[in-house]
Amino acid sequence: MRLQLLFFLGLSALVSGGESSHDAERRMHPVFSLMGTGSNPIGGGRYKRAMPQIVFDAVRSEERYAEYWQGLAAQTLDQQLESKLRLNTQLARNVMLFIGDGMSIPTITAGRVYLGGEEKQFAFEQFPYVGLSKTYCANMQVADSACTATAYLGGVKANYGTIGVSAAVQFKDCQAQAQAAHHVSSIAAWAQKQGMATGLVTTTSVTHASPAGVYAHLANRNWENDAEVVGDNGDPDLCPDAAAQLINSPVGQKLNVIMGGGRENFLPKGVTDSSGAPGRRLDGRNLIDEWKNQHTNSAHYVENRRELLNLSNHTSRVLGLFAPYHMAYHLDASPAEQPTLEEMVQSAMEILERQSAGRGYFLFVEGGRIDHGHHDTLALRAIDETAEFDKAVRFARGHTSTDDTLIVVSSDHSHTMSLAGYSSRKNDIFGINDGQLAADDLPYATLSYANGPGYDSNYLREGGAVRRKNLRAINMKNKDFMFPSTVPLESETHGGDDVAVFASGPYAQLFTGVFEQHFIPHALGYASCLSDRNMCVDGGVARRPR
């Protein structure tokens, strides 16, 4: 109680002007001493307002000298000049949109340290053009993955929880969903009209919010199977679920590649999949069998990594459902059973290139479990999923030409995780801040969340009082450790801040500046002659010089 009283008295003095400007400056921007040597810093130990007395351990010895940083800046300047003095205005024959679900800017920053250091870069960070996307829904400040999918795939801002429909459709409004006038077509539909091959790859269920934006029109993102529609007193015949739309809608039927999880949404109750998991459908339909019957012998259904990697070179279509619902986190997956996102993208690109017949392809790729890790404040899982997502981007960019293939990497929304404190270089990103103790004389985590289930990882209740746990006594590198949260919530929320957009290839320069998220597919369509017919010749397979 005494500590709390002192804290509130101090806070009262601050807000009432009792702190001098010089005191405020020292409080907000402490100056750290780097005197002393290694294990025997002057004064010893940690201090609430100062870093431990450490010797700067440069990543490279040359980092101690100004010439190193000046040379690095000169190299970066040369790269910038080379990449931007000549604009690429060729036709984007192929278009790939990679979405790291929930991949906020702090997630990227923390991910660099996970890769090996603050100076590291993800493959997509090396793309020459970067912008910021504003992610809000038509009716909400902080977005979900449904309304954002409608924006970055359909080019229209929608209401929270709805997919592939305009903001005229309210959440759970089955009658409004059924009206074709409210449907928003995706860039995949635009591509199919021009004869392009199309596909989607995700680490979530293929009926989840983000991939559903490719093919579905839903008043409720949770209507992944007909049982969910019935549970909301809806009519599945009037408002078909996501799985039914994937198999039977015009866009879904034409997709050459469908890969992810979600078998349970395609199987009827009473039928189990290869893992023993039961189906969830009430209509008695086996949509996997329906898909097989729709297509020729060159179309293949696969359920594991071996089957995927052994696909025939003559495969024209693939439906790969690798889990009952979401695919396992990379850290939990069986390498023999579950393909990586990179392997799925590699197979998808091979099939799409063969099936494009020279007219190109559109591929949507989602690293969907970044988001799930954050919701459970499992920062280690979220950041590892980001690294896996980047491997897929690296493969795609390394096996295509920037002359004719546009790749855009972004996120649908952010999260509340922050990276804070005054840690030294190379400090364990999943550990405690090594530069400062809190006012309660306890260390704090470098990564933490504004809200979420990690509250109980950080606080103890004793005799009616609440105090923080000593993180030194906790294995924070356990993949199941929930990182500290300030506000207790069952599930951590999304964040409302802008997300980054990285672009490489024809017309990548369009993705610079700050823009609304729904601009993205319009720019993709322009680059690939799907939206501006006046600039295109021969049915959209070439572009007139500007």
Side-chain angles (χ1 to χ4, degrees):
M1 287 297 295
R2 183 174 181 273
L3 180 62
Q4 291 175 322
L5 178 61
L6 289 173
F7 172 78
F8 285 113
L9 287 174
L11 181 62
S12 175
L14 295 182
V15 299
S16 63
E19 181 182 40
S20 73
S21 59
H22 291 291
D23 287 340
E25 179 62 27
R26 284 191 290 271
R27 173 179 56 81
M28 291 185 287
H29 303 110
V31 177
F32 301 140
S33 171
L34 298 176
M35 296 171 60
T37 59
S39 61
N40 293 303
I42 294 175
R46 296 169 181 268
Y47 295 92
K48 297 175 187 176
R49 292 182 56 182
M51 289 181 68
Q53 313 290 309
I54 60 175
V55 174
F56 175 59
D57 184 16
V59 177
R60 303 177 181 86
S61 60
E62 57 266 30
E63 284 192 10
R64 299 174 184 271
Y65 306 103
E67 291 79 6
Y68 168 79
W69 301 104
Q70 292 164 348
L72 188 62
Q75 179 183 343
T76 304
L77 179 59
D78 288 341
Q79 292 171 347
Q80 292 284 0
L81 291 171
E82 182 179 357
S83 66
K84 294 178 173 63
L85 286 179
R86 183 181 65 85
L87 296 181
N88 183 347
T89 56
Q90 303 278 36
L91 171 73
R93 187 175 69 90
N94 307 314
V95 174
M96 286 185 265
L97 177 59
F98 284 78
I99 294 293
D101 196 316
M103 189 178 70
S104 61
I105 291 176
T107 302
I108 296 171
T109 303
R112 296 179 196 138
V113 185
Y114 183 56
L115 291 181
E118 295 80 1
E119 73 285 353
K120 299 294 184 180
Q121 279 189 312
F122 287 111
F124 54 79
E125 291 186 276
Q126 299 169 33
F127 287 6
Y129 294 96
V130 183
L132 289 174
S133 166
K134 298 158 66 177
T135 64
Y136 63 90
C137 301
N139 64 340
M140 297 281 281
Q141 284 184 341
V142 178
D144 77 325
S145 294
C147 75
T148 53
T150 309
Y152 63 71
L153 286 166
V156 172
K157 291 265 187 182
N159 290 329
Y160 188 96
T162 67
I163 303 171
V165 292
S166 70
V169 177
Q170 298 298 319
F171 186 60
K172 293 187 179 182
D173 189 341
C174 178
Q175 295 289 334
Q177 173 186 316
Q179 297 182 40
H182 296 156
H183 291 180
V184 174
S185 62
S186 75
I187 187 171
W190 311 348
Q192 289 175 355
K193 287 181 180 179
Q194 296 303 317
M196 296 171 70
T198 52
L200 67 86
V201 174
T202 180
T203 53
T204 67
S205 170
V206 296
T207 55
H208 208 235
S210 301
V214 171
Y215 60 85
H217 310 287
L218 295 166
N220 184 348
R221 57 175 289 170
N222 296 321
W223 292 348
E224 298 186 56
N225 58 67
D226 65 328
E228 297 292 344
V229 180
V230 172
D232 280 335
N233 298 315
D235 181 354
D237 293 326
L238 183 64
C239 298
D241 58 273
Q245 290 190 48
L246 179 54
I247 301 303
N248 296 303
S249 72
V251 175
Q253 286 184 331
K254 292 178 183 177
L255 288 171
N256 299 88
V257 172
I258 304 167
M259 292 189 205
R263 289 191 295 259
E264 65 181 24
N265 295 315
F266 295 83
L267 297 175
K269 283 193 171 182
V271 173
T272 58
D273 68 7
S274 56
S275 70
R280 299 194 60 196
R281 302 197 65 79
L282 299 178
D283 55 13
R285 297 168 64 187
N286 185 321
L287 296 179
I288 295 173
D289 285 345
E290 289 186 21
W291 181 88
K292 293 177 182 177
N293 293 332
Q294 285 177 4
H295 302 295
T296 65
N297 291 336
S298 61
H300 297 285
Y301 171 69
V302 296
E303 287 193 350
N304 57 53
R305 180 175 182 268
R306 176 183 55 79
E307 292 174 347
L308 177 67
L309 299 185
N310 289 332
L311 281 174
S312 163
N313 290 335
H314 301 292
T315 299
S316 61
R317 298 179 191 276
V318 64
L319 172 61
L321 300 178
F322 303 106
Y325 193 38
H326 300 314
M327 294 176 67
Y329 285 109
H330 167 250
L331 291 175
D332 298 332
S334 166
E337 291 296 318
Q338 179 172 295
T340 65
L341 184 59
E342 179 183 8
E343 289 170 337
M344 290 192 289
V345 167
Q346 179 178 353
S347 295
M349 289 172 60
E350 291 172 355
I351 293 170
L352 293 175
E353 184 61 41
R354 286 198 304 268
Q355 297 304 308
S356 66
R359 300 190 70 85
Y361 59 80
F362 169 77
L363 176 61
F364 172 75
V365 180
E366 182 199 22
R369 305 225 62 192
I370 302 169
D371 176 71
H372 298 163
H374 280 318
H375 278 304
D376 289 332
T377 65
L378 299 171
L380 176 55
R381 292 182 187 272
I383 292 170
D384 181 75
E385 290 294 309
T386 304
E388 287 299 300
F389 173 75
D390 182 62
K391 291 177 184 177
V393 176
R394 185 182 299 275
F395 177 88
R397 186 69 287 172
H399 289 78
T400 53
S401 170
T402 56
D403 291 338
D404 68 356
T405 301
L406 172 62
I407 298 180
V408 173
V409 178
S410 188
S411 177
D412 47 356
H413 53 73
S414 69
H415 273 274
T416 72
M417 188 194 79
S418 65
L419 188 157
Y422 301 105
S423 290
S424 59
R425 285 277 297 276
K426 300 291 186 179
N427 187 49
D428 184 358
I429 195 65
F430 301 115
I432 60 174
N433 184 291
D434 70 353
Q436 193 177 42
L437 288 177
D440 56 6
D441 290 319
L442 291 173
Y444 61 92
T446 300
L447 300 179
S448 62
Y449 292 83
N451 56 55
Y455 181 86
D456 289 333
S457 297
N458 200 27
Y459 291 97
L460 287 170
R461 294 176 178 86
E462 293 181 344
V466 177
R467 64 181 180 84
R468 293 196 312 123
K469 292 181 180 179
N470 186 348
L471 294 177
R472 294 193 193 96
I474 298 174
N475 179 15
M476 296 172 65
K477 296 195 75 170
N478 185 317
K479 62 185 179 182
D480 294 319
F481 174 71
M482 290 183 174
F483 276 71
S485 308
T486 303
V487 176
L489 285 178
E490 181 181 7
S491 177
E492 181 262 359
T493 70
H494 295 165
D497 37 313
D498 297 350
V499 296
V501 183
F502 306 88
S504 170
Y507 280 94
Q509 61 269 20
L510 296 178
F511 298 91
T512 57
V514 180
F515 44 82
E516 300 287 353
Q517 191 172 49
H518 75 277
F519 164 75
I520 290 174
H522 295 284
L524 295 174
Y526 182 84
S528 54
C529 283
L530 299 181
S531 61
D532 186 348
R533 310 262 37 97
N534 293 327
M535 285 299 298
C536 301
V537 295
D538 192 19
V541 297
R543 183 182 288 280
R544 292 191 181 98
R546 289 186 63 84

